[in-house]
Amino acid sequence: MNAGNWFAYASAVAAVAALIFSPKRLTRKEMYATYFVMIALTIYTDLCFGLLLDLYDFINPDVSLSDLILQVALPPTAGVLALNFMPNGNKLFVLYLVVAVVLALLFEWLSLKTGYLIYKGWKLYYSLPVYVFGLLFLRWHLRFIRR
């Protein structure tokens, strides 16, 4: 197993542990809905940009069992964690958004450095609007569920 695999699995274990042991501000229903919405968004996004447009790969060009395991563990858990700690107020949300996007970009950069993620046309700065949109979507998603 290469460094990229180790990084990805260690990150997934850390994210799941953080979710299990962190204080919960979301209900089980909200976590459940968010988790499965994030799985769908992640898979569709990676199918579109990674597979169809061939802009990036995860470790190798083929879809593997480890890719699927990580797809249903890492991004959805990170999304639930992000939503769990997301502040309600607009001023705090803007600061939270900036910090969360910077952390997501740092994680993506580390994924590149370890070899978990391989760009084939994608650039790190392309991810900036994706993460901003993702966090704005999560905020809307929680409000939608709570109505």
Side-chain angles (χ1 to χ4, degrees):
M1 197 159 44
N2 68 23
N5 279 341
W6 283 108
F7 175 73
Y9 283 116
S11 299
V13 168
V16 169
L19 184 60
I20 290 169
F21 296 111
S22 66
K24 308 296 185 287
R25 295 177 49 201
L26 301 173
T27 67
R28 285 187 213 172
K29 177 181 165 186
E30 291 164 348
M31 287 189 287
Y32 181 82
T34 302
Y35 198 87
F36 284 99
V37 165
M38 288 298 297
I39 287 173
L41 286 175
T42 300
I43 289 175
Y44 287 129
T45 301
D46 288 339
L47 280 174
C48 180
F49 292 114
L51 202 58
L52 294 176
L53 298 176
D54 203 26
L55 295 174
Y56 55 82
D57 285 327
F58 294 106
I59 299 177
N60 58 44
D62 299 326
V63 176
S64 66
L65 180 61
S66 67
D67 289 337
L68 293 175
I69 291 169
L70 289 167
Q71 289 291 316
V72 299
L74 191 54
T77 304
V80 172
L81 280 168
L83 192 56
N84 187 56
F85 294 107
M86 191 175 285
N88 292 324
N90 288 335
K91 286 182 182 179
L92 283 177
F93 174 72
V94 171
L95 177 61
Y96 183 83
L97 179 72
V98 169
V99 171
V101 168
V102 167
L103 289 174
L105 290 170
L106 176 63
F107 180 81
E108 187 170 325
W109 180 77
L110 289 171
S111 297
L112 286 167
K113 292 301 176 191
T114 61
Y116 172 61
L117 181 61
I118 300 155
Y119 286 162
K120 298 165 46 179
W122 191 261
K123 304 285 185 214
L124 184 63
Y125 59 87
Y126 293 173
S127 297
L128 179 85
V130 173
Y131 294 133
V132 170
F133 176 75
L135 285 164
L136 291 171
F137 171 80
L138 282 174
R139 186 175 170 112
W140 170 85
H141 166 76
L142 183 61
R143 289 181 179 171
F144 179 79
I145 291 172
R146 287 184 173 170
R147 274 192 233 156

